[in-house]
Amino acid sequence: MAGILLETTGSDNEREDLARRMAAEQKKLASLKMEHARILNGESKMRAATSIPGDIVKDTIVPAGANNYVSEIPKGRHLRIIDIGGQQAVDFLAFDLANTEIRYNNANSIKLNRTIYVTKGFKLYSDVAEVLMTVVQDTVGRHDTIGGACSSQVNKLRYGIAGTCACRDNFLAALSARGMSARDIHANVNFFMNVPVQADGSAEIVDGLSTPGDFVELRADKDTLVVMSNCPQFFNPCSGWNPTPIRVIEWMPAGG
Protein backbone atom coordinates (compact mmCIF):
# COMPACT_ATOMS: atom_id res chain seq x y z
CA MET A 1 0.00 0.00 0.00
CA ALA A 2 2.05 2.94 -1.23
CA GLY A 3 -0.46 5.77 -0.92
CA ILE A 4 1.28 7.70 -3.68
CA LEU A 5 -1.05 7.36 -6.65
CA LEU A 6 -3.93 9.58 -5.60
CA GLU A 7 -3.07 12.47 -7.92
CA THR A 8 -5.30 10.87 -10.58
CA THR A 9 -8.27 10.39 -8.24
CA GLY A 10 -11.02 13.02 -8.40
CA SER A 11 -11.00 16.52 -6.95
CA ASP A 12 -8.77 17.85 -4.18
CA ASN A 13 -11.54 17.27 -1.66
CA GLU A 14 -12.07 13.71 -2.85
CA ARG A 15 -8.34 12.97 -2.73
CA GLU A 16 -8.07 14.48 0.74
CA ASP A 17 -10.96 12.41 2.06
CA LEU A 18 -9.53 9.22 0.57
CA ALA A 19 -5.98 9.98 1.75
CA ARG A 20 -7.09 10.66 5.32
CA ARG A 21 -9.18 7.48 5.47
CA MET A 22 -6.39 5.37 3.99
CA ALA A 23 -3.83 6.87 6.36
CA ALA A 24 -5.99 6.26 9.44
CA GLU A 25 -6.52 2.62 8.49
CA GLN A 26 -2.86 2.03 7.67
CA LYS A 27 -1.67 3.78 10.84
CA LYS A 28 -3.59 1.30 12.99
CA LEU A 29 -2.08 -1.66 11.16
CA ALA A 30 1.46 -0.25 11.19
CA SER A 31 1.26 0.67 14.88
CA LEU A 32 0.19 -2.87 15.80
CA LYS A 33 3.03 -4.31 13.71
CA MET A 34 5.65 -2.09 15.36
CA GLU A 35 4.29 -2.81 18.85
CA HIS A 36 4.59 -6.53 18.16
CA ALA A 37 8.17 -6.01 16.98
CA ARG A 38 8.96 -3.97 20.08
CA ILE A 39 7.65 -6.73 22.35
CA LEU A 40 9.52 -9.39 20.38
CA ASN A 41 13.02 -7.90 20.44
CA GLY A 42 12.82 -4.13 20.78
CA GLU A 43 14.50 -4.00 24.19
CA SER A 44 17.54 -6.01 23.11
CA LYS A 45 17.84 -4.08 19.85
CA MET A 46 17.74 -0.76 21.69
CA ARG A 47 20.44 -1.91 24.10
CA ALA A 48 22.65 -2.76 21.13
CA ALA A 49 21.83 0.51 19.39
CA THR A 50 22.78 2.59 22.43
CA SER A 51 25.94 0.64 23.22
CA ILE A 52 28.65 3.01 21.99
CA PRO A 53 32.26 1.76 21.81
CA GLY A 54 33.81 5.20 22.23
CA ASP A 55 33.31 8.70 23.56
CA ILE A 56 29.86 10.24 23.00
CA VAL A 57 30.03 13.82 21.72
CA LYS A 58 26.30 14.48 21.16
CA ASP A 59 23.16 12.54 22.02
CA THR A 60 19.96 14.05 20.64
CA ILE A 61 16.31 13.08 20.34
CA VAL A 62 14.89 14.57 17.13
CA PRO A 63 11.08 14.84 17.21
CA ALA A 64 8.70 14.26 14.35
CA GLY A 65 6.98 17.21 12.68
CA ALA A 66 8.71 20.53 12.02
CA ASN A 67 12.30 19.62 12.88
CA ASN A 68 15.85 19.44 11.64
CA TYR A 69 19.23 18.23 12.77
CA VAL A 70 22.32 20.12 11.65
CA SER A 71 25.85 19.23 12.68
CA GLU A 72 29.44 19.76 11.60
CA ILE A 73 30.96 16.28 11.68
CA PRO A 74 34.78 16.27 11.75
CA LYS A 75 36.72 13.58 9.94
CA GLY A 76 36.75 10.36 11.91
CA ARG A 77 33.61 11.03 13.95
CA HIS A 78 30.76 8.51 13.80
CA LEU A 79 27.09 9.41 13.38
CA ARG A 80 24.56 6.83 14.56
CA ILE A 81 20.88 7.26 13.66
CA ILE A 82 18.50 5.12 15.73
CA ASP A 83 14.93 4.39 14.66
CA ILE A 84 13.08 4.48 17.98
CA GLY A 85 9.58 3.66 16.76
CA GLY A 86 10.31 1.69 13.59
CA GLN A 87 9.66 2.43 9.90
CA GLN A 88 10.69 6.08 10.37
CA ALA A 89 12.29 7.71 7.33
CA VAL A 90 15.16 10.14 7.87
CA ASP A 91 15.99 12.46 4.96
CA PHE A 92 19.71 13.19 4.80
CA LEU A 93 21.87 15.86 3.13
CA ALA A 94 25.67 16.07 3.29
CA PHE A 95 28.12 18.79 2.26
CA ASP A 96 31.89 19.23 2.25
CA LEU A 97 32.30 21.48 5.28
CA ALA A 98 35.24 23.33 3.73
CA ASN A 99 33.18 24.21 0.65
CA THR A 100 29.44 23.57 0.84
CA GLU A 101 29.10 24.04 -2.92
CA ILE A 102 30.49 20.50 -2.99
CA ARG A 103 27.84 18.13 -1.71
CA TYR A 104 26.67 14.56 -1.73
CA ASN A 105 26.05 13.41 -5.30
CA ASN A 106 23.45 10.69 -5.67
CA ALA A 107 24.37 9.72 -9.23
CA ASN A 108 28.06 9.41 -8.43
CA SER A 109 27.29 7.35 -5.34
CA ILE A 110 25.00 4.97 -7.20
CA LYS A 111 27.53 4.53 -10.01
CA LEU A 112 30.57 4.07 -7.82
CA ASN A 113 28.87 1.79 -5.29
CA ARG A 114 27.14 -0.10 -8.13
CA THR A 115 23.83 -0.14 -6.29
CA ILE A 116 20.83 2.09 -5.70
CA TYR A 117 20.49 0.81 -2.13
CA VAL A 118 22.44 2.16 0.82
CA THR A 119 23.80 -0.41 3.27
CA LYS A 120 26.99 -1.23 5.17
CA GLY A 121 30.03 -0.25 3.12
CA PHE A 122 28.16 2.27 0.95
CA LYS A 123 30.27 5.38 0.37
CA LEU A 124 28.65 8.79 0.03
CA TYR A 125 30.51 10.42 -2.85
CA SER A 126 30.49 14.14 -3.58
CA ASP A 127 30.14 16.07 -6.84
CA VAL A 128 33.92 15.79 -7.28
CA ALA A 129 33.99 12.05 -6.49
CA GLU A 130 35.47 12.41 -3.01
CA VAL A 131 34.09 10.28 -0.19
CA LEU A 132 32.29 12.41 2.37
CA MET A 133 31.05 9.58 4.60
CA THR A 134 30.91 5.78 4.71
CA VAL A 135 28.16 3.60 6.18
CA VAL A 136 29.99 1.44 8.72
CA GLN A 137 27.04 -0.25 10.46
CA ASP A 138 23.52 -1.06 9.36
CA THR A 139 21.00 -3.32 11.08
CA VAL A 140 18.31 -2.86 8.41
CA GLY A 141 20.03 -3.91 5.19
CA ARG A 142 18.67 -1.41 2.69
CA HIS A 143 17.99 2.33 2.54
CA ASP A 144 16.70 4.53 -0.28
CA THR A 145 18.44 6.83 -2.76
CA ILE A 146 15.64 7.59 -5.24
CA GLY A 147 12.48 8.59 -3.33
CA GLY A 148 13.65 12.11 -2.54
CA ALA A 149 12.24 14.47 0.07
CA CYS A 150 8.53 15.04 0.61
CA SER A 151 7.23 18.56 0.03
CA SER A 152 3.97 20.36 0.75
CA GLN A 153 3.57 20.91 -3.00
CA VAL A 154 3.86 17.21 -3.88
CA ASN A 155 1.64 16.30 -0.95
CA LYS A 156 -1.01 18.67 -2.32
CA LEU A 157 -0.78 16.99 -5.73
CA ARG A 158 -0.91 13.50 -4.32
CA TYR A 159 -3.42 13.89 -1.54
CA GLY A 160 -5.32 17.13 -2.12
CA ILE A 161 -4.13 18.35 1.29
CA ALA A 162 -2.60 21.82 1.50
CA GLY A 163 -0.06 23.05 4.02
CA THR A 164 1.34 19.74 5.23
CA CYS A 165 4.57 19.65 7.20
CA ALA A 166 7.29 18.27 4.93
CA CYS A 167 11.00 17.49 4.71
CA ARG A 168 11.65 20.17 2.10
CA ASP A 169 10.45 22.83 4.53
CA ASN A 170 12.54 21.31 7.31
CA PHE A 171 15.57 21.43 5.02
CA LEU A 172 14.88 25.04 4.06
CA ALA A 173 14.67 26.09 7.71
CA ALA A 174 17.94 24.35 8.53
CA LEU A 175 19.82 25.67 5.50
CA SER A 176 18.60 29.24 5.83
CA ALA A 177 20.10 29.40 9.32
CA ARG A 178 23.50 28.86 7.67
CA GLY A 179 22.97 31.32 4.82
CA MET A 180 22.12 28.54 2.38
CA SER A 181 18.98 28.15 0.27
CA ALA A 182 16.73 25.89 -1.77
CA ARG A 183 19.51 25.63 -4.37
CA ASP A 184 21.47 23.62 -1.81
CA ILE A 185 18.85 20.87 -1.49
CA HIS A 186 20.34 18.00 -3.44
CA ALA A 187 18.99 14.54 -4.22
CA ASN A 188 19.06 13.04 -0.76
CA VAL A 189 19.47 9.71 0.97
CA ASN A 190 16.45 8.39 2.88
CA PHE A 191 17.54 6.23 5.77
CA PHE A 192 14.98 3.60 6.84
CA MET A 193 12.83 4.26 3.76
CA ASN A 194 12.00 1.34 1.50
CA VAL A 195 11.65 1.98 -2.25
CA PRO A 196 12.25 -1.32 -4.06
CA VAL A 197 12.72 -1.25 -7.83
CA GLN A 198 10.96 -4.02 -9.73
CA ALA A 199 12.27 -5.90 -12.77
CA ASP A 200 10.17 -3.72 -15.09
CA GLY A 201 11.67 -0.53 -13.60
CA SER A 202 8.61 0.42 -11.55
CA ALA A 203 9.15 1.70 -8.03
CA GLU A 204 7.11 3.04 -5.15
CA ILE A 205 7.37 3.69 -1.42
CA VAL A 206 6.31 0.60 0.52
CA ASP A 207 6.34 -0.45 4.17
CA GLY A 208 9.69 0.18 5.83
CA LEU A 209 11.98 -2.68 6.85
CA SER A 210 13.15 -1.19 10.13
CA THR A 211 11.66 -1.97 13.53
CA PRO A 212 12.20 -0.28 16.92
CA GLY A 213 15.90 -0.21 17.79
CA ASP A 214 17.31 -0.54 14.29
CA PHE A 215 20.13 1.85 13.43
CA VAL A 216 22.51 2.98 10.73
CA GLU A 217 25.92 4.48 11.40
CA LEU A 218 28.18 6.59 9.23
CA ARG A 219 31.81 7.63 9.61
CA ALA A 220 32.93 11.01 8.32
CA ASP A 221 35.79 10.59 5.85
CA LYS A 222 36.06 14.36 5.43
CA ASP A 223 34.87 17.22 7.61
CA THR A 224 31.19 17.13 6.67
CA LEU A 225 28.12 19.28 7.23
CA VAL A 226 25.11 17.03 7.83
CA VAL A 227 21.49 18.21 7.58
CA MET A 228 18.64 15.85 8.44
CA SER A 229 14.86 15.94 8.53
CA ASN A 230 13.01 13.35 10.58
CA CYS A 231 10.26 12.82 8.02
CA PRO A 232 6.82 14.14 9.12
CA GLN A 233 4.85 12.32 6.41
CA PHE A 234 1.46 10.93 7.54
CA PHE A 235 0.06 9.94 4.15
CA ASN A 236 2.36 7.19 2.87
CA PRO A 237 4.41 4.35 4.40
CA CYS A 238 7.76 6.18 4.53
CA SER A 239 7.22 6.96 8.22
CA GLY A 240 4.94 4.07 9.04
CA TRP A 241 1.89 6.33 8.62
CA ASN A 242 2.80 7.62 12.09
CA PRO A 243 5.95 9.80 12.36
CA THR A 244 7.97 9.11 15.52
CA PRO A 245 11.18 10.52 17.07
CA ILE A 246 14.66 9.34 16.23
CA ARG A 247 17.83 9.37 18.32
CA VAL A 248 21.11 10.66 16.92
CA ILE A 249 24.40 9.87 18.63
CA GLU A 250 27.71 11.33 17.52
CA TRP A 251 30.78 9.63 18.92
CA MET A 252 34.52 9.26 18.50
CA PRO A 253 36.45 6.01 18.75
CA ALA A 254 38.61 5.79 21.85
CA GLY A 255 41.84 7.66 21.20
CA GLY A 256 40.37 9.20 18.04
Side-chain angles (χ1 to χ4, degrees):
M1 179 57 124
I4 64 172
L5 302 176
L6 300 184
E7 61 267 23
T8 60
T9 305
S11 67
D12 284 354
N13 288 339
E14 289 170 331
R15 290 202 307 282
E16 178 175 357
D17 179 66
L18 179 56
R20 291 191 184 281
R21 284 191 286 110
M22 287 172 55
E25 293 168 2
Q26 294 300 317
K27 177 180 176 179
K28 292 177 184 178
L29 296 174
S31 296
L32 286 172
K33 182 178 179 180
M34 290 303 101
E35 183 58 27
H36 176 73
R38 189 191 311 277
I39 292 169
L40 182 66
N41 59 11
E43 186 175 339
S44 61
K45 290 180 73 171
M46 194 60 70
R47 280 199 303 269
T50 55
S51 177
I52 304 297
D55 301 318
I56 294 175
V57 179
K58 293 182 183 179
D59 189 348
T60 308
I61 300 293
V62 182
N67 72 84
N68 60 71
Y69 183 91
V70 181
S71 188
E72 298 180 358
I73 314 290
K75 181 179 178 179
R77 183 180 293 181
H78 290 232
L79 176 73
R80 181 172 294 192
I81 308 167
I82 304 171
D83 188 351
I84 297 173
Q87 297 185 325
Q88 176 58 47
V90 179
D91 292 40
F92 185 94
L93 306 177
F95 305 84
D96 187 330
L97 185 59
N99 178 6
T100 57
E101 290 185 359
I102 298 172
R103 65 259 187 99
Y104 168 75
N105 185 291
N106 217 22
N108 284 348
S109 298
I110 290 170
K111 285 182 292 189
L112 294 169
N113 286 284
R114 296 179 175 82
T115 178
I116 63 169
Y117 300 123
V118 177
T119 190
K120 184 177 180 180
F122 189 95
K123 297 180 183 300
L124 278 66
Y125 285 92
S126 72
D127 299 316
V128 295
E130 294 177 336
V131 179
L132 296 174
M133 308 185 85
T134 299
V135 177
V136 293
Q137 291 201 67
D138 174 27
T139 65
V140 181
R142 188 171 75 197
H143 307 262
D144 170 60
T145 58
I146 64 174
C150 62
S151 70
S152 57
Q153 295 85 357
V154 173
N155 285 344
K156 178 66 161 59
L157 176 64
R158 286 173 168 172
Y159 314 123
I161 302 172
T164 56
C165 187
C167 287
R168 186 174 189 274
D169 295 325
N170 288 342
F171 282 154
L172 288 172
L175 293 169
S176 65
R178 296 187 64 94
M180 300 167 76
S181 71
R183 291 179 179 271
D184 296 294
I185 299 177
H186 56 71
N188 59 286
V189 172
N190 291 305
F191 291 114
F192 309 119
M193 195 162 100
N194 187 19
V195 188
V197 177
Q198 306 304 321
D200 64 359
S202 62
E204 61 181 351
I205 303 168
V206 299
D207 289 343
L209 301 175
S210 60
T211 60
D214 273 316
F215 70 92
V216 62
E217 181 169 294
L218 301 96
R219 181 194 63 231
D221 296 305
K222 295 194 70 176
D223 294 346
T224 303
L225 173 66
V226 163
V227 179
M228 291 189 283
S229 168
N230 184 24
C231 184
Q233 178 63 262
F234 279 97
F235 300 107
N236 71 54
C238 68
S239 293
W241 307 91
N242 181 37
T244 52
I246 58 169
R247 185 171 176 180
V248 181
I249 300 175
E250 298 183 28
W251 66 277
M252 287 293 292

